[in-house]
Amino acid sequence: MESYFLVPIVCFNNGMGLARILSALEGQFEAQLQEGLREEVSEFAEGELLSVSVAARIRARIGQSLTVRSLNGETVTGIVKAVAEPWVLLEAGGEELIQLASCVSVEPLGHSAPSRSPLESRLTYAYVLRQIARRRIRVRISAGDLVTAGAIVGVYADHIDLRTDTGITSIMIAHIFSVRTVAV
């Protein structure tokens, strides 16, 4: 298999000395090298952005105000208390656990902040819901156009059971926008 190399074109004339020829070639080589580095840096920066999650950007706003919106138009504004990849906890006149996958928009976002703990990746939304259920905390759940209150009595692979005043309601976890603690 043949290899081809790109050779910069330099105009030579009889009056050019070898040093000038080498200098011209070196200048062209340096320019090509700089252009290649610019392209590499640009690609690297683009790749870096692709690895930053919304949770990492929210993490940079701990202690600051954040507004999240759901698909059905519900808006919650509060102070960021904690965040993990699948959720954010806001203080919004009470603690409100927001599932990030159910958010349509989040604002304002900061730059990116590193994970606070190696355990953070284990704090899934379902794990937090199980902890709420174990403590028998009364909650208000917003899921789509459903807003209901009760106690979580079961957390399953893809849904929860919520004991309300009228019985047990099963709610798909994927559709839960927020879980807010409420007074008894």
Side-chain angles (χ1 to χ4, degrees):
M1 173 177 245
E2 291 184 48
S3 297
Y4 296 96
F5 297 95
L6 294 177
V7 177
I9 297 174
V10 178
C11 293
F12 299 103
N13 64 37
N14 290 338
M16 284 185 91
L18 190 55
R20 287 185 66 195
I21 292 170
L22 291 175
S23 177
L25 288 172
E26 187 177 282
Q28 286 184 354
F29 178 75
E30 182 65 30
Q32 289 175 346
L33 182 62
Q34 289 301 320
E35 180 60 29
L37 286 175
R38 275 193 293 277
E39 287 176 16
E40 278 185 43
V41 167
S42 177
E43 288 176 18
F44 179 75
E46 209 172 272
E48 229 2 71
L49 289 178
L50 292 174
S51 70
V52 176
S53 68
V54 71
R57 293 184 68 195
I58 292 171
R59 195 175 301 108
R61 295 201 47 85
I62 289 179
Q64 299 176 41
S65 182
L66 186 76
T67 298
V68 294
R69 288 182 186 80
S70 73
L71 187 59
N72 69 336
E74 183 177 353
T75 300
V76 177
T77 299
I79 303 300
V80 178
K81 303 288 279 181
V83 64
E85 283 305 315
W87 54 263
V88 61
L89 180 64
L90 299 177
E91 175 58 49
E95 292 182 331
E96 191 137 4
L97 183 67
I98 307 293
Q99 181 171 213
L100 293 173
S102 67
C103 293
V104 173
S105 67
V106 179
E107 62 186 43
L109 287 175
H111 295 290
S112 175
S115 177
R116 292 170 45 110
S117 140
L119 296 176
E120 183 179 295
S121 62
R122 299 173 72 192
L123 297 175
T124 66
Y125 198 65
Y127 177 83
V128 176
L129 293 176
R130 283 193 298 278
Q131 297 310 307
I132 291 169
R134 285 185 183 132
R135 289 167 176 74
R136 294 184 171 82
I137 298 171
R138 188 165 167 78
V139 295
R140 179 192 62 89
I141 293 184
S142 171
D145 62 357
L146 171 71
V147 177
T148 188
I152 299 171
V153 293
V155 179
Y156 301 90
D158 60 357
H159 68 285
I160 64 167
D161 280 348
L162 185 74
R163 182 182 311 279
T164 67
D165 295 335
T166 60
I168 302 289
T169 301
S170 296
I171 303 169
M172 298 300 294
I173 292 173
H175 296 287
I176 297 174
F177 171 64
S178 70
V179 177
R180 174 188 280 267
T181 56
V182 294
V184 179

